[in-house]
Amino acid sequence: MRRPAGGGLPACRGCVASAGPAAGPRAAELRVRVRLPGGQVTEESLQATAARLRQLELRAATRLTADFIREVKIFRALILGELERGQSQFQALCFVTRLHRNEIIPSESMAKLRQKNPRTVRQAEEVRGWEHLSMDVAVNFSKGAQLSSHIHNVCAEAKEAIYTREEDVKFWLEKGVDGSMFEVLPQGSEVPELPRCRRCPDRWKPCICSYSLSLEWYPCMLKYCRSRDAGGKVSSYKCGIRSCQKGYTFDYYVPQKQLCLWDEET
């Protein structure tokens, strides 16, 4: 296999990239046509710079922002409201978790990806299953920039609904983050009378809400190929990416079921 000139990544076989608006040095935008489990086709948009992955947008309603420098992931969801039941036009939620190594390819590698076959519909090569997270801590929006500068923009519409986990908070506190931005929330295990929202008959009572989202396609791993020089020495180089699918379910406290009307038993 021939090594590409310059040592960069070749055209990605499982993604679509296009030159988007400049977002800083070595910026790149990728647009990926993805087939959903029900057979529908949607488009995902990924924006990256050499410093950090800016965002992954799914059907315009869900956004993942990964801050590689601060080791923070931010999921932002926009949910259409039920006007006939007294809700506003939409409801915004933000879930903030620790970004672990090897969850997503480095943003400097993503910034080098280029496209092939822009009309091809893709499916993830690897299904990583679902992760269930108990979001037991609220994040103060006005202080959130100390955790990640992206919180101010990504979560601007979810100022009163930014959630994280106590175990992630402990990690960030060890990194020197100001603990005053976090507030521990009531949990069903601590308050026995606090029900799941799907089982709560009163729309104005507090309960534990559940929200699920799925990343149908994202670049999770780098692929490496081997080459042999004239002297027979073998070396490896980056030659593409591996795509993954992963789902998340978030449980969190709401002061009234009215803020969680989607989580109902049918």
Side-chain angles (χ1 to χ4, degrees):
M1 186 175 292
R2 183 175 299 174
R3 183 170 183 168
L9 289 173
C12 165
R13 297 177 64 186
C15 67
V16 181
S18 61
R26 298 170 67 187
E29 180 181 0
L30 290 77
R31 295 191 179 277
V32 186
R33 299 186 74 214
V34 178
R35 189 174 304 281
L36 301 177
Q40 309 97 318
V41 175
T42 188
E43 184 178 88
E44 297 183 359
S45 171
L46 300 89
Q47 296 180 7
T49 68
R52 65 193 71 186
L53 168 66
R54 287 205 163 186
Q55 62 188 35
L56 165 61
E57 290 194 12
L58 315 174
R59 287 155 283 172
T62 302
R63 176 185 296 181
L64 165 63
T65 300
D67 186 334
F68 288 89
I69 295 176
R70 296 295 187 91
E71 299 178 85
V72 171
K73 292 198 306 284
I74 308 168
F75 298 89
R76 199 254 3 236
L78 295 180
I79 306 160
L80 290 177
E82 299 184 43
L83 300 181
E84 69 279 6
R85 301 179 72 179
Q87 291 188 320
S88 57
Q89 289 187 331
F90 69 88
Q91 186 175 339
L93 303 171
C94 266
F95 303 106
V96 185
T97 65
R98 176 184 174 185
L99 175 65
H100 294 272
R101 291 186 178 183
N102 302 322
E103 282 191 81
I104 305 173
I105 68 169
S107 60
E108 60 268 20
S109 296
M110 190 182 299
K112 297 176 184 177
L113 293 176
R114 296 297 178 263
Q115 72 169 328
K116 267 187 178 181
N117 306 321
R119 301 305 301 168
T120 300
V121 178
R122 308 292 180 181
Q123 287 185 291
E125 299 167 86
E126 178 182 335
V127 177
R128 291 190 167 181
W130 285 80
E131 186 173 356
H132 202 132
L133 305 174
S134 178
M135 312 302 284
D136 47 9
V137 176
V139 180
N140 186 306
F141 174 78
S142 63
K143 299 180 180 180
Q146 300 176 48
L147 180 59
S148 171
S149 60
H150 292 288
I151 289 178
H152 181 76
N153 293 324
V154 176
C155 301
E157 296 165 315
K159 294 180 181 179
E160 303 300 324
I162 308 175
Y163 306 97
T164 188
R165 301 188 298 168
E166 191 169 0
E167 61 187 86
D168 293 329
V169 169
K170 291 178 181 177
F171 171 78
W172 293 320
L173 291 179
E174 292 176 357
K175 294 282 187 176
V177 171
D178 181 8
S180 67
M181 77 175 71
F182 304 113
E183 178 187 355
V184 177
L185 295 170
Q187 292 297 298
S189 58
E190 300 171 355
V191 186
E193 65 272 15
L194 193 61
R196 293 275 178 173
C197 290
R198 66 176 65 98
R199 299 189 184 98
C200 182
D202 191 334
R203 282 195 291 163
W204 308 107
K205 292 290 187 180
C207 53
I208 299 297
C209 187
S210 183
Y211 184 79
S212 297
L213 60 85
S214 179
L215 306 180
E216 298 297 339
W217 189 103
Y218 69 98
C220 54
M221 298 175 63
L222 294 174
K223 290 181 179 179
Y224 290 85
C225 298
R226 292 184 176 183
S227 65
R228 190 184 301 271
D229 61 21
K233 183 179 179 180
V234 177
S235 60
S236 63
Y237 61 94
K238 301 171 186 175
C239 59
I241 66 166
R242 184 172 180 82
S243 59
C244 290
Q245 180 272 332
K246 184 172 178 60
Y248 298 86
T249 295
F250 303 97
D251 290 342
Y252 61 99
Y253 169 87
V254 290
Q256 53 187 249
K257 182 182 177 178
Q258 180 73 5
L259 300 173
C260 186
L261 294 182
W262 61 84
D263 188 17
E264 293 184 321
E265 290 183 332
T266 57

